[in-house]
Amino acid sequence: MTERQAPFHKLYDRFGLLFLVTVVTMALLLLVDLDQDEGIAELLSFTVTLLAAATLFLAVAAAGVGYRGRQITLVLIGAVLVAAIVSMVFSDVPNGHGGLLWLILVTAAPIVALRRLVQHRTVKVETLLGALSVYLLIALAATYFFLFIDTFLSGSGRFFGQEEPTTVFTYFSLITITTVGYGDFDPAGVVGRAAAAWEAIIGQIYLVVVVARLVTQYSGGRLLRGGADSPPDD
């Protein structure tokens, strides 16, 4: 193990930890509006952004991304956090929710994590937790993509046709990826509708193809081990 690898070696394949942090991050994103700009509320919103950054870095570290990839991730995260601090200190600076840099990072996180999971020769509990983490990371990426559309691509309009707190974007992302479809919120523009449709499609394909396959392999492995350990019939 080289000196560069040592600090991150303990995080390699730690998908159980990634799952826990991702769940907490998504839960807080459902409760905390990132656009709050007063006192403790603003500090809380920055804390949630910091936790989201930690989630993304854990995904990269658990996936075993190389030294250069980790360095790039840290630079992107650092740039986003600096921008968030500037927005928090100077109230006249708008909060762009990380912009394009953040969007690239949240999109790459589930991809690199999934790439590592499909390399597992034996499906373990950590593998299944990793698969669930990727599912939530897809929803997280969609949340920030919707916010990106709302901030930079919607022109004079809004993603939902009117201003909404960021908690609604997280809620809408989770409702979309699970195809529940309550219908209480709908994208107002063509780009938003296309983004929501693709999230639903990707989410369902992921569950049907990836998660179902991993669960089947995990169950099959348990049956094989159980058969090998059981005593022979008389």
Side-chain angles (χ1 to χ4, degrees):
M1 185 191 310
T2 66
E3 185 177 350
R4 289 180 175 182
Q5 294 173 329
F8 305 98
H9 180 70
K10 293 182 179 179
L11 296 176
Y12 183 57
D13 267 347
R14 291 290 301 277
F15 287 105
L17 176 61
L18 174 62
F19 176 71
L20 176 62
V21 176
T22 306
V23 168
V24 173
T25 300
M26 294 301 293
L28 289 177
L29 283 171
L30 285 168
L31 298 173
V32 177
D33 182 8
L34 300 180
D35 287 333
Q36 297 177 103
D37 57 359
E38 294 182 1
I40 297 178
E42 186 176 17
L43 182 60
L44 183 59
S45 67
F46 176 75
T47 302
V48 175
T49 300
L50 187 62
L51 183 59
T55 301
L56 298 176
F57 184 76
L58 276 176
V60 171
V65 174
Y67 176 76
R68 179 170 297 180
R70 294 195 303 267
Q71 290 296 103
I72 293 174
T73 301
L74 286 174
V75 170
L76 292 178
I77 289 175
V80 170
L81 292 179
V82 168
I85 293 173
V86 171
S87 177
M88 184 171 61
V89 174
F90 301 99
S91 57
D92 57 334
V93 177
N95 183 359
H97 306 293
L100 185 59
L101 293 179
W102 189 254
L103 187 60
I104 292 173
L105 187 57
V106 296
T107 302
I111 295 174
V112 297
L114 179 60
R115 178 176 174 273
R116 171 56 194 156
L117 289 175
V118 297
Q119 294 174 348
H120 283 192
R121 295 184 178 181
T122 303
V123 178
K124 304 176 182 179
V125 173
E126 286 279 330
T127 311
L128 298 180
L129 291 176
L132 294 176
S133 299
V134 171
Y135 187 66
L136 292 177
L137 287 172
I138 294 172
L140 179 65
T143 297
Y144 281 99
F145 186 42
F146 298 155
L147 286 169
F148 182 83
I149 294 173
D150 182 71
T151 305
F152 298 103
L153 302 182
S154 59
S156 59
R158 293 278 178 175
F159 184 86
F160 294 112
Q162 61 184 9
E163 188 172 359
E164 299 288 351
T166 62
T167 53
V168 172
F169 289 82
T170 307
Y171 164 79
F172 178 73
S173 178
L174 290 171
I175 294 304
T176 301
I177 199 171
T178 55
T179 65
V180 173
Y182 287 131
D184 47 355
F185 292 97
D186 298 293
V190 175
V191 177
R193 294 189 186 113
W198 275 110
E199 183 191 9
I201 292 171
I202 292 172
Q204 290 308 297
I205 291 176
Y206 179 78
L207 285 179
V208 171
V209 176
V210 178
V211 175
R213 178 173 175 268
L214 291 176
V215 170
T216 301
Q217 287 183 319
Y218 178 73
S219 301
R222 291 184 62 184
L223 288 174
L224 287 174
R225 288 193 295 272
D229 293 339
S230 58
D233 295 332
D234 294 333

